[in-house]
Each structure stands twice: as structure tokens, then as C-alpha cells.
Amino acid sequence: MNCYISHHYRNLTSAGNKAKTDMEQIMDSMQFVNVGLDRTVGPSGLKAFLRNLAGVLRAVAIVGRGDVLVLQYPLKKYFTFVARAAHLRGARVVALVHDLGSCRRKAISESTEIARLGCADRVIATNAVMASHLGNLGLGCEIDALGVWDYLTDARPSVPGHDGVRVAYAGAINRRKNSFLYDWGKTIEGYKVDIYGDGLDMAQVSCGDAFTVHGYRPADELISTVDSDYGLVWDGDSLDTCSGSFGEYLALNTPHKVSLYIRCHLPLIVWSGSAMAPFVLAEGIGFVVDSLRDIPAKLRAVPPHKYCDMKQRVAAISDRLARGHYFREALSRSI
């Protein structure tokens, strides 16, 4: 039996929960069995704790010899317990990494994280850079790489209907994560910016005329209404590199935002030092920059036929994300 454990989720709108529930849906379509409790959604912290604990206990009582149990990591306090209990019952464990607590949040040490992940028989990192990082830290089990997050939705991308070039930036906005937004306007030349998210204080934004703030839009609505030509993946407090805990984490992480942009059929602009830069270049779905100051020249260097090629390549990958292609392939290799 191939199986997984579903959970109680506070919401289904955050990127992290969207990614996890999409992976569950993909496993359902592959005839995996949910050995936990049925998925529930609601804001109650106590309910989440009790249901998740009950689901974990149910799962370890059900799995047996020859089973493959897929755990989405981190699994709060239960990962080590579940992995060891599954092994005692003769099951194998595959861990899909969503986030490393030893990196951006520094919630645990690297040695602790490696010890936890080492309880799995196989680890699926979010990308090849993270896989190499985990191997260099001493993770001894087999390590695979997902590549990019699949993204399930029935929403259809809109067709841009504007003149000039527009760059979208979507996501939660706060000073700690993306304060670069307040100075970005100083470097904008030959394009405009669409902000999809709340929290930007336009009174403090340099050259605010370059920005149009659309506010928060649910992902499906964003996909069907976005009117931009590119999607920017950038975090931190600097225009010249992705810095700070959030920016530096892009060197290892696969942001869910990448998949959202792809489902919007937007070619990508990413930091050259990010873990997604090799993917973007290899697939021909955008370009990389060392600094936000490089964007004007990079845009001028993209002739219309090259942009059309990027769009076609993005659309092809969008179709793969809609089918759960990347997780299906990683699971098939793991099992």
C-alpha cells in the first residue's frame, strides 16, 4: 500500500497549505490511501492539534510491512515519531520537503534537521540545489529533487490587453520580507509594475507612479485576471541582491510563487543566485538578473519572437503543473 497522512488545515489559501493539499490530491489520483483522518479546514488551533494527533496515531496503527508512507515535511512535532513507528512496522518512508527550519527561520540547528530527515528512507528536496545542500550537510539517505511545485487549478490565464511592458509582483507584503519594494521605483525604466497583495505603504514608495496596486486577489482570480507580461521572484531589503533571511532563502528554496506565475502564463524574472535560476534558464521561461537595476536592459534585449517563445514554453510547463507531472515523476522514482 502507498499511503500518506492528511491533516487539519487552518486555511487553503496560503501558499504552504495550497502546496500540501495539491500534493495530497495528486497522491489521491495515484491511488494512494490517506491513513490519517479526513482533511478538515478551520481556524481552531485546538481542533488542529487534536485531529492531527489522532490522525498520526491512526496512521502508525495502520501502516505495515511493505507499505510506502509519504510524509510532507515538516510534520510539526511528529515527523521522527511517525517515521520510526512506520519502520518498526516494516514500512518505508519518503519525505517531501516543503521547508527547512534550519535555514530561513533558524528554528532548529542543521544537525537536528539532518537527524530528523535521516529517519526517512528517501527525501524529495524541492530542487536540485537543496538536494545538494542536504547531501553536503551529511544526509545519508537517498535524495531526489522535485524541480518545481505542481499547481492544481481549473482557472484559465487571461490575455494581456495593455501597451508597454508590465512586471507582476504577487504575495504577502511586509517590511521584513520585501522592503526592496520601497526603493525599486528608482530603477524602473521602460516598464510598469503590478502589485498583487496588501501591505504596501504607497506613501513611502519611491517613484510610486510606476506602480499599480491591485490588492490581494485569490489565486484563481489572479490567474484569470492578471494583466502583466512577466512575474518577478525577489525577496529581501536590497535592489542588488536577494538579502536578509527571506532573500537568502531563495538560494535554496522553490517558492510556490514560481508555480503561480507559470500558471498565469507569465515568463519569470528571478535572481541569478536563486535555486530556481537554473530551472528558468534550462527551460527557457524567462531570464535571470544579478540586480533589479539589470531589468531594463534585459527587457530591451528580448525581441518579440523571443518573448513569444518564452510564453509558449511557460504554457507547456503550466500544463505539466496542472497534471501534477513533477510530483508524480518524483514519487514514481521514489517508490
Side-chain angles (χ1 to χ4, degrees):
M1 174 177 67
N2 298 326
C3 53
Y4 70 95
I5 305 173
S6 189
H7 302 284
H8 176 93
Y9 294 95
R10 299 289 187 92
N11 61 70
L12 298 181
T13 57
S14 69
N17 289 345
K18 167 66 174 169
K20 290 175 182 175
T21 53
D22 275 358
M23 299 308 108
E24 291 180 4
Q25 189 172 332
I26 292 167
M27 287 189 281
D28 286 340
S29 72
M30 297 174 71
Q31 284 72 58
F32 278 63
V33 176
N34 173 22
V35 289
L37 298 181
D38 291 342
R39 180 198 306 168
T40 53
V41 181
S44 171
L46 178 60
K47 181 178 180 180
F49 171 77
L50 294 175
R51 283 195 64 87
N52 290 341
L53 176 59
V56 162
L57 295 175
R58 181 177 190 272
V60 298
I62 291 176
V63 296
R65 186 165 303 279
D67 294 342
V68 176
L69 175 61
V70 176
L71 299 178
Q72 301 202 62
Y73 179 91
L75 184 58
K76 299 299 182 182
K77 308 173 179 65
Y78 309 121
F79 182 84
T80 301
F81 166 72
V82 175
R84 289 177 175 170
H87 284 149
L88 287 173
R89 296 182 63 83
R92 291 184 293 133
V93 175
V94 175
L96 172 64
V97 177
H98 285 260
D99 187 31
L100 293 176
S102 61
C103 293
R104 175 174 57 84
R105 294 180 290 110
K106 308 295 183 185
I108 59 175
S109 67
E110 290 180 340
S111 59
T112 299
E113 189 129 65
I114 294 302
R116 286 183 184 175
L117 286 171
C119 294
D121 299 283
R122 187 176 179 93
V123 168
I124 303 173
T126 58
N127 57 64
V129 176
M130 182 182 284
S132 178
H133 170 75
L134 293 173
N136 291 337
L137 289 178
L139 183 59
C141 62
E142 297 179 4
I143 310 173
D144 198 358
L146 183 66
V148 65
W149 292 110
D150 293 301
Y151 198 108
L152 308 184
T153 177
D154 293 327
R156 294 289 182 179
S158 61
V159 177
H162 59 262
D163 295 325
V165 178
R166 304 193 70 87
V167 175
Y169 187 83
I173 297 172
N174 60 67
R175 287 277 191 176
R176 184 162 168 256
K177 183 180 182 184
N178 34 40
S179 60
F180 78 90
L181 289 169
Y182 290 91
D183 293 321
W184 185 12
K186 299 174 184 176
T187 72
I188 293 174
E189 175 189 338
Y191 66 97
K192 299 289 187 179
V193 173
D194 292 307
I195 301 292
Y196 294 94
D198 294 327
L200 186 63
D201 184 356
M202 288 302 297
Q204 299 186 40
V205 172
S206 298
C207 306
D209 291 345
F211 295 80
T212 299
V213 178
H214 301 272
Y216 168 76
R217 291 186 184 178
D220 285 0
E221 180 183 339
L222 174 62
I223 292 170
S224 61
T225 61
V226 66
D227 189 28
S228 305
D229 303 285
Y230 293 88
L232 175 70
V233 183
W234 193 277
D235 281 326
D237 52 17
S238 173
L239 302 177
D240 296 310
T241 188
C242 285
S243 58
S245 60
F246 285 93
E248 292 168 358
Y249 193 37
L250 291 179
L252 282 179
N253 192 35
T254 301
H256 201 242
K257 184 185 302 186
V258 168
S259 299
L260 175 60
Y261 287 149
I262 292 173
R263 295 296 274 127
C264 291
H265 287 189
L266 298 180
L268 301 168
I269 304 172
V270 303
W271 174 41
S272 59
S274 69
M276 292 311 297
F279 180 83
V280 170
L281 293 176
E283 298 291 345
I285 56 172
F287 58 81
V288 305
V289 292
D290 298 323
S291 164
L292 294 179
R293 305 178 200 277
D294 300 337
I295 292 178
K298 289 278 190 174
L299 290 175
R300 289 193 296 268
V302 179
H305 74 274
K306 177 65 174 177
Y307 181 76
C308 288
D309 180 63
M310 287 181 184
K311 289 279 284 187
Q312 291 173 357
R313 290 172 180 268
V314 169
I317 294 179
S318 178
D319 288 342
R320 292 181 211 162
L321 303 188
R323 299 193 305 269
H325 168 82
Y326 292 93
F327 191 39
R328 289 176 186 274
E329 290 292 307
L331 280 178
S332 296
R333 292 191 298 268
S334 298
I335 293 170

